[in-house]
Amino acid sequence: MESLSTIAGIEDSFRRIQLLGTEPICFAVQMEPTLLSSFGAVGALAENKRNQGVQGYLLNRNESGIVLIPIVSQGLWKNRTDFENYVMLEANDISEVKVKKDFMYWRIHIMTKNHVKYQLRVIAKVKGEPRHEANVKAFIALYR
């Protein structure tokens, strides 16, 4: 798997599918937990099945819209980046993006015009990666 611990590694992932853009805002996001995940290990397994193994996404906001590359679970501690099933949300197909601060995370809710909803969260700071915080702040500034 590509290095997803740095913004440079995440940008390389978007370069690979030729969707980096000229002014990218890239970072990794998690799926927002639901009520199922509060039921311990059984809830976590049910949540994983409901999300078809998707644990989160690599997110890139560029001049065309928002691109999401799924990060899929392949076991307890192993994930893979699913380049074949990336999602391109064209700017004119997005009806709403809401960003809200919650304790340690920023919650990001994206709604498309055909009512597909993405509920994500991102941590505000990553130790040793100052570009993460700058990119998160740039994304928030666009939608807050």
Side-chain angles (χ1 to χ4, degrees), residues 59-120:
L59 182 148
N60 178 20
R61 169 38 170 96
N62 61 33
E63 58 279 356
S64 299
I66 298 173
V67 187
L68 301 170
I69 301 174
I71 301 170
V72 180
S73 171
Q74 288 194 301
L76 194 56
W77 301 104
K78 189 174 178 184
N79 296 323
R80 71 175 173 83
T81 309
D82 186 359
F83 292 103
E84 292 79 36
N85 291 306
Y86 71 86
V87 178
M88 177 65 207
L89 303 172
E90 298 285 343
N92 59 352
D93 291 335
I94 298 171
S95 65
E96 182 177 51
V97 177
K98 290 183 181 179
V99 180
K100 181 179 177 186
K101 180 73 169 143
D102 183 21
F103 188 57
M104 289 179 31
Y105 295 95
W106 283 95
R107 296 182 183 277
I108 301 169
H109 294 185
I110 303 168
M111 176 73 81
T112 66
K113 288 182 180 174
N114 59 351
H115 305 291
V116 175
K117 186 186 293 185
Y118 296 90
Q119 297 185 32
L120 312 166

Side-chain angles (χ1 to χ4, degrees), residues 4 7 10 25-33 55-60 68 98-110 118-126 129 131-140:
L4 304 181
I7 296 299
I10 293 171
I25 300 172
C26 300
F27 48 90
V29 295
Q30 300 172 331
M31 300 289 285
E32 191 170 315
Q55 301 294 307
Y57 293 94
L58 301 180
L59 182 148
N60 178 20
L68 301 170
K98 290 183 181 179
V99 180
K100 181 179 177 186
K101 180 73 169 143
D102 183 21
F103 188 57
M104 289 179 31
Y105 295 95
W106 283 95
R107 296 182 183 277
I108 301 169
H109 294 185
I110 303 168
Y118 296 90
Q119 297 185 32
L120 312 166
R121 69 181 187 175
V122 62
I123 195 155
K125 294 181 182 183
V126 172
E129 182 51 74
R131 286 185 60 203
H132 172 86
E133 182 179 9
N135 282 0
V136 170
K137 284 182 177 180
F139 184 87
I140 291 165

Side-chain angles (χ1 to χ4, degrees), residues 19-37:
L19 288 171
L20 183 62
T22 57
E23 295 183 32
I25 300 172
C26 300
F27 48 90
V29 295
Q30 300 172 331
M31 300 289 285
E32 191 170 315
T34 65
L35 185 59
L36 272 177
S37 57

Side-chain angles (χ1 to χ4, degrees), residues 5-53:
S5 59
T6 66
I7 296 299
I10 293 171
E11 287 176 348
D12 286 343
S13 294
F14 287 101
R15 254 186 223 98
R16 178 175 169 175
I17 61 170
Q18 300 177 355
L19 288 171
L20 183 62
T22 57
E23 295 183 32
I25 300 172
C26 300
F27 48 90
V29 295
Q30 300 172 331
M31 300 289 285
E32 191 170 315
T34 65
L35 185 59
L36 272 177
S37 57
S38 63
F39 290 106
V42 173
L45 287 172
E47 182 75 12
N48 190 35
K49 185 174 182 174
R50 186 177 79 84
N51 293 333
Q52 298 175 351

